Amino acid sequence: RACPRSGGKRAMAMDTGAYVAGESIYIPISGTDEAVALNVDDLPENVDDVLGLLQAELSPLGLWLDLAKAYLQRGKEEQFRAILETGCSPEIEEYYPDAKYERVSLMCAFASYYVHLGKAEGDAINRDEHFHRAESLLTQASLIRRKENGDQEEQLPVLGMAHLTGARGDPVEAEKLLDKSRNLKDDGHENVAPMLWKALALYQRNAFTDALQWYRRALRAHPGAPASVRLGIGACQLRLGQFAQALKAFERTLALETENPDALLGAALAELHGASPATLSGDNDEIDEVYVESVRRGLEYLERAFNVDPHNPATRVALAKHFLVTNDSEAVKALTETLVSSAAGGVVTATARLRAEAAFVRARAAHASGDLQSARASYQAAAQLDGTFAAPAFGLAQVALARGDRKAASVFVEKARSAFPESHPVTRVYGHLRRCEDEAKSVAMGGGVVSVGRAGAGAGRDAETASALRRATDADPLDLESRLELGDALLGAGDYAGALLSYETATKLSPAPSAALLNNCGVLQAMTGKGAHEGRFEKARAWFLQALRAVQVESGAAAVDSADLDTSDERKKTADAALPVAFNLARLVEDRGFVAEAEQRYRDLLIASPTMSECLLRLASMRCDRKNFPEATALAQQALALDDQNTDAMAFLGHLLMKQNKWAEAQAQFKTLRGTHKPLSAQAATLAAAAGKDPKTATHANDEYAMVAIANAAYYQAIKLQSLGNRNRSVTSDEKSSKAEKEHLEHAATMYTKALQKSESNLFAANGLGILLAERGKIEEAKVTFQMVAEGMSAAEVAGGEETANGAAEDRAATFPDIWINQGHIQSAKKNHDAAARHYQQAQTKFFHNLDHTVMLYQARNWYEANDLRAATAVLRRALRVAPWNHRLRFNLAYVLQESACRSVQQTLRAGQKIAGGAAAEDGGTKAAQVRVALENLTLALTLFEQLMVAATAVEATSGGGDEVEKRKVAAVASANLGFDKKRVRQHVQFCQKQLKENAPHLERAAAEDAAFHAKRESLMAERHAEMTKLAMGKAKVKADFELKRKAEEAAAAAARDKFKRNNQEYMARSAGERMLEEDSSLPGGGGDGNKKGKKNANANEYVDSDDDDVLAPLAMETGTPGPKTAQEKAALKATGLFSDSEDEEEEAADTDGEKDAAEAEAEEKDDDAKSDDAKSDDEKSEEAAAMEEDTAPTTGGRRARSAPASKTDKEQKAKRAMDALAAKSRKKRGLEPAEPADEAPATEEAPVDEAPRKRRKALVDDDNDE
């Protein structure tokens, strides 16, 4: 229909690409002011009519794009393609030659459409075809405006190429193109699009912080940017968890576009997520009120978003999640049906992630309703729609777990855990599945002593499971099931302290803890912290008593006090359910050291349950500890008689045989154990049947304890054969024994290897294998094996601190010192004797408190091989004190003493061998002392060998008679039991006797040599002492002479300094007098041209004063003597202020005194000069005379003759008086003190002659004062 045009402007096309319902697009009619209005909600199905109208009216290409977008928004892709294909055709250039930018916009929009199609396409060929068409369109668009034609490169094609490159999977190149587009312009104008594209690219890479920064930069650069910029800011803040800031951004977007569905959805999500109780603070009532209000506002926003755009995929998914919470599965299905089936919404508007989320919500609804089949199908669909979406994997794990398929559940939960490592539900299911798998792999612990549960799947595996379950319990501390499973995992990992803590926490969480849980707490309390703290026994006993009471409650009997259940009478009638707890109480008492009470408890339990083989085995173990092997064997056989399939009894019988060194019988017993039938659990039987095995034929063939025990028995048999072969080399059966020994060693190696294949962490098997490697000469391989075993033991020991250490690991380490001993053997074999000594000492200190005589024997052998016989002797002496009954130690000590004595005598008496200086050493130092010690050692060795002969003779005497063969066998057995061979001992006795007899004379000869040596040494020492005394006296004399010379030089220097000081003082005094005389001579009336500072001017008769300013004074006489001033001169001086009437008389009086003083000083000077003439040379006198003639000048007046002073003191006093007179005169002139009346001289005619100079000097002084 026709309607008026809106001011010549085209209809507004929204920047977001979404058209509001009810709006229209106006197509202007050429030559008129009218336009055709097309409602965006009622666009013609036949696009040809629209195209005909656009072409007929030559409508702007911008309207073409607006109409195409409106069709696409309504899901009409065919009409969209028709409009853009026509607008992008080459013919369109003929009709719109100047619409270059509009043509570029059409092609770029069409290219963007194909990029979206390619991203959503699953088929690779079709995807490449879409991308190729997009690239072709972008290339054409970039050629419309080219630099060759003088046009500026357009921005839109570069942006489109960046979009295409990112869709093809090259984000780096796409980002380069985006950076390039930022330097271009959009039809000559600045455009915010490159910044928004870059922000979008970062957002799609989950770099929300960087994307937020780019959105903000775009907004600062273009404050008038469209609402999509603020929408992007809100989306980034929403993903970052900044819900309050995101809500403000969405509200600002809605202020610009009130019906923006994306902004409404974002505001709804911000309200709903921001209202989580975890993000709120305050009282519970306040939190509830705020939460309810936020949820209400969020649902309002969500409703508005759905009303604005019912087809928006994100809005439909958000609503489906809401209805999932409200358990409205029908609404969930209705909202997600079209998205999952790719209907109405289309692949362009619904991304793969949104469709996957829709399928996931649909699966959760089916899962909640119990429809596992539909849930599984929807979970699988969600996973297929988006492979990066990990949430469906957790749903599939839950479904598989519910169906009993733990293997599949483990696979799915591993994927979910990698995506959501902090999720409590995922972690809880993961830990549960790990624990179930560990239980399936675990084997029961043998021994029948204290059974606390399963051994686990290995310390490393169980530790990982425990770590996962610990995260689950940290996220939800009130989760009882996770807490119990954590305790089981820690128990399997060997962390008994951690398991105890977890179980204790579970007892607090559970309103009524089970007897099994309380029993486990008691057992773990008894096993952990041994020796770490007092009260362990009481705490464990308290747990067991609580367990007994729980058994009573669980059985429905009346509850009684726990202590009343632990009496002898109550134990004799213990119920079957309470037998394990009562047995553990008895075991605790035995561990405490109360053997008699523990035995009584075991017998009480046997009365309550005669078939309780565990009590019989404990009684047998107690007999075994007391070396009462017959009674222990009888009790073990009694336990086996109760159940011929009792593997614990079989194992204990084999253990008793090993203790009695009955290796062959023990090996046979353990072989019987391996062939015993092994009952399987239902699950194990099912697995065995699935593997094609008959569950009824299962045996204990893979029992690790039995395999290691058989290997040990075989090894000891080989060692026994080896020992017998060494003692009986003449027997014809050596070859047969060697073959049997080799077979035993090979069998031991096979069993050790099988045990390690069964469990790589079996330290006992690894240790045995290392021993066999060492026996075969493979020292390096054995060393590596022992080091690995030692590291495993150390890791078990340091599993916790002193108070939380793994008690079981400590028990194993405390009874397994072989690792360190074997390492010592290896190091000793490699000649690393120091390292071997450290390993032996570590074993002694750690396990035996330095009291094990067997390890001491190893230490002595190591020092012997290191050629340190003294250390070997010390170790053997200490070992013999610890075990005086051990004949092997006695033999070795005697042998080492014999060897040490022989070596000492040979080294001492060797030809030319001397003891330096005869100094006393530890062994005596001198030859005689060393020989004496050697003879004492030989005597002691002989005594020990004789004691061994007596012991061997006594054994032979008790063996009885018989033929020669029988005697030989008895002798061999006796040698094996005693630890030495009687024949060898007899040889050593004879050797010691011979050495004592031969070495006795050496003692006297060594003493004589020592005496001669000492005498010679004393003589040499005396001579040396005399020489040293003489040398010392010479050095003392030289030192004394040097001191005298030094003191003389110091005295001369002091005298010179005193003389210089006196001369200096005299010179200073003489100089002061001369300066004073010079000053007197310069006063008026004092003659002499040499002291005058004035001089005649060559051109005029003027007096030039060099010290004062340029004041001229006429000369009175041609001879240079100043005359009296005339009246005119005085008047002129008065006019200048340089002369006054009162100054004549003062100057005359001062001149008279000055002349007198100067005359006296001159007389004194002449007198001194006359006295010093005698000391001067002729040349010096002639030089002084010449100088005097040169300095002689006519005087202005008669001077009085100077008289010589009586002494130097008088001269100094006169000089002082002259200086005082000058100072008084100066003070008088300055008016500081009144002038004393001076005696006026009688008037003479010559007085006026000196008046002028005096007046001139006064004028100069006054002039200076004025200054």
PDB file of all heavy atoms in Angstrom, residues 1142-1154:
ATOM      1  N   SER A1142      96.788  72.349  66.027  1.00  0.00           N
ATOM      2  CA  SER A1142      97.276  71.631  67.211  1.00  0.00           C
ATOM      3  C   SER A1142      98.197  70.509  66.867  1.00  0.00           C
ATOM      4  O   SER A1142      98.810  69.910  67.737  1.00  0.00           O
ATOM      5  CB  SER A1142      96.097  71.086  68.008  1.00  0.00           C
ATOM      6  OG  SER A1142      95.370  70.171  67.214  1.00  0.00           O
ATOM      7  N   GLU A1143      98.309  70.135  65.611  1.00  0.00           N
ATOM      8  CA  GLU A1143      99.126  68.992  65.236  1.00  0.00           C
ATOM      9  C   GLU A1143     100.607  69.326  65.200  1.00  0.00           C
ATOM     10  O   GLU A1143     101.441  68.437  65.262  1.00  0.00           O
ATOM     11  CB  GLU A1143      98.696  68.473  63.857  1.00  0.00           C
ATOM     12  CG  GLU A1143      97.348  67.783  63.895  1.00  0.00           C
ATOM     13  CD  GLU A1143      96.934  67.305  62.528  1.00  0.00           C
ATOM     14  OE1 GLU A1143      97.711  67.527  61.588  1.00  0.00           O
ATOM     15  OE2 GLU A1143      95.865  66.709  62.408  1.00  0.00           O
ATOM     16  N   ASP A1144     100.988  70.650  65.110  1.00  0.00           N
ATOM     17  CA  ASP A1144     102.417  70.990  65.040  1.00  0.00           C
ATOM     18  C   ASP A1144     103.138  70.575  66.293  1.00  0.00           C
ATOM     19  O   ASP A1144     104.173  69.915  66.256  1.00  0.00           O
ATOM     20  CB  ASP A1144     102.573  72.500  64.813  1.00  0.00           C
ATOM     21  CG  ASP A1144     102.289  72.876  63.344  1.00  0.00           C
ATOM     22  OD1 ASP A1144     102.372  71.938  62.495  1.00  0.00           O
ATOM     23  OD2 ASP A1144     101.979  74.002  63.083  1.00  0.00           O
ATOM     24  N   GLU A1145     102.599  70.967  67.415  1.00  0.00           N
ATOM     25  CA  GLU A1145     103.265  70.684  68.673  1.00  0.00           C
ATOM     26  C   GLU A1145     103.297  69.184  68.968  1.00  0.00           C
ATOM     27  O   GLU A1145     104.269  68.645  69.456  1.00  0.00           O
ATOM     28  CB  GLU A1145     102.549  71.417  69.805  1.00  0.00           C
ATOM     29  CG  GLU A1145     102.610  72.933  69.646  1.00  0.00           C
ATOM     30  CD  GLU A1145     101.821  73.641  70.748  1.00  0.00           C
ATOM     31  OE1 GLU A1145     101.213  72.885  71.575  1.00  0.00           O
ATOM     32  OE2 GLU A1145     101.808  74.846  70.765  1.00  0.00           O
ATOM     33  N   GLU A1146     102.211  68.473  68.656  1.00  0.00           N
ATOM     34  CA  GLU A1146     102.182  67.032  68.928  1.00  0.00           C
ATOM     35  C   GLU A1146     103.208  66.307  68.078  1.00  0.00           C
ATOM     36  O   GLU A1146     103.905  65.418  68.554  1.00  0.00           O
ATOM     37  CB  GLU A1146     100.782  66.472  68.632  1.00  0.00           C
ATOM     38  CG  GLU A1146      99.737  67.028  69.578  1.00  0.00           C
ATOM     39  CD  GLU A1146      98.346  66.581  69.181  1.00  0.00           C
ATOM     40  OE1 GLU A1146      98.231  65.844  68.159  1.00  0.00           O
ATOM     41  OE2 GLU A1146      97.387  66.912  69.879  1.00  0.00           O
ATOM     42  N   GLU A1147     103.323  66.669  66.826  1.00  0.00           N
ATOM     43  CA  GLU A1147     104.256  65.983  65.951  1.00  0.00           C
ATOM     44  C   GLU A1147     105.686  66.266  66.348  1.00  0.00           C
ATOM     45  O   GLU A1147     106.555  65.411  66.274  1.00  0.00           O
ATOM     46  CB  GLU A1147     104.021  66.393  64.511  1.00  0.00           C
ATOM     47  CG  GLU A1147     102.713  65.829  63.942  1.00  0.00           C
ATOM     48  CD  GLU A1147     102.514  66.228  62.503  1.00  0.00           C
ATOM     49  OE1 GLU A1147     103.370  66.958  62.003  1.00  0.00           O
ATOM     50  OE2 GLU A1147     101.529  65.804  61.919  1.00  0.00           O
ATOM     51  N   GLU A1148     105.943  67.476  66.793  1.00  0.00           N
ATOM     52  CA  GLU A1148     107.319  67.808  67.199  1.00  0.00           C
ATOM     53  C   GLU A1148     107.714  66.981  68.410  1.00  0.00           C
ATOM     54  O   GLU A1148     108.824  66.452  68.477  1.00  0.00           O
ATOM     55  CB  GLU A1148     107.418  69.300  67.515  1.00  0.00           C
ATOM     56  CG  GLU A1148     107.360  70.185  66.254  1.00  0.00           C
ATOM     57  CD  GLU A1148     107.350  71.669  66.591  1.00  0.00           C
ATOM     58  OE1 GLU A1148     107.397  71.956  67.793  1.00  0.00           O
ATOM     59  OE2 GLU A1148     107.288  72.470  65.685  1.00  0.00           O
ATOM     60  N   ALA A1149     106.851  66.885  69.394  1.00  0.00           N
ATOM     61  CA  ALA A1149     107.178  66.076  70.573  1.00  0.00           C
ATOM     62  C   ALA A1149     107.361  64.608  70.220  1.00  0.00           C
ATOM     63  O   ALA A1149     108.283  63.956  70.685  1.00  0.00           O
ATOM     64  CB  ALA A1149     106.083  66.237  71.620  1.00  0.00           C
ATOM     65  N   ALA A1150     106.479  64.074  69.388  1.00  0.00           N
ATOM     66  CA  ALA A1150     106.592  62.667  68.986  1.00  0.00           C
ATOM     67  C   ALA A1150     107.848  62.427  68.193  1.00  0.00           C
ATOM     68  O   ALA A1150     108.514  61.409  68.331  1.00  0.00           O
ATOM     69  CB  ALA A1150     105.359  62.247  68.178  1.00  0.00           C
ATOM     70  N   ASP A1151     108.226  63.364  67.347  1.00  0.00           N
ATOM     71  CA  ASP A1151     109.435  63.192  66.526  1.00  0.00           C
ATOM     72  C   ASP A1151     110.657  63.164  67.402  1.00  0.00           C
ATOM     73  O   ASP A1151     111.612  62.415  67.143  1.00  0.00           O
ATOM     74  CB  ASP A1151     109.536  64.308  65.503  1.00  0.00           C
ATOM     75  CG  ASP A1151     108.467  64.174  64.424  1.00  0.00           C
ATOM     76  OD1 ASP A1151     107.893  63.042  64.310  1.00  0.00           O
ATOM     77  OD2 ASP A1151     108.215  65.130  63.704  1.00  0.00           O
ATOM     78  N   THR A1152     110.643  63.979  68.457  1.00  0.00           N
ATOM     79  CA  THR A1152     111.810  64.010  69.351  1.00  0.00           C
ATOM     80  C   THR A1152     111.988  62.664  70.039  1.00  0.00           C
ATOM     81  O   THR A1152     113.079  62.117  70.094  1.00  0.00           O
ATOM     82  CB  THR A1152     111.643  65.127  70.395  1.00  0.00           C
ATOM     83  OG1 THR A1152     111.477  66.361  69.718  1.00  0.00           O
ATOM     84  CG2 THR A1152     112.864  65.187  71.299  1.00  0.00           C
ATOM     85  N   ASP A1153     110.904  62.090  70.563  1.00  0.00           N
ATOM     86  CA  ASP A1153     110.979  60.771  71.217  1.00  0.00           C
ATOM     87  C   ASP A1153     111.363  59.693  70.233  1.00  0.00           C
ATOM     88  O   ASP A1153     112.110  58.768  70.541  1.00  0.00           O
ATOM     89  CB  ASP A1153     109.642  60.420  71.865  1.00  0.00           C
ATOM     90  CG  ASP A1153     109.313  61.385  72.998  1.00  0.00           C
ATOM     91  OD1 ASP A1153     110.252  61.971  73.553  1.00  0.00           O
ATOM     92  OD2 ASP A1153     108.112  61.491  73.307  1.00  0.00           O
ATOM     93  N   GLY A1154     110.802  59.769  69.053  1.00  0.00           N
ATOM     94  CA  GLY A1154     111.105  58.753  68.038  1.00  0.00           C
ATOM     95  C   GLY A1154     112.547  58.799  67.631  1.00  0.00           C
ATOM     96  O   GLY A1154     113.177  57.770  67.413  1.00  0.00           O
TER      97      GLY A1154
END
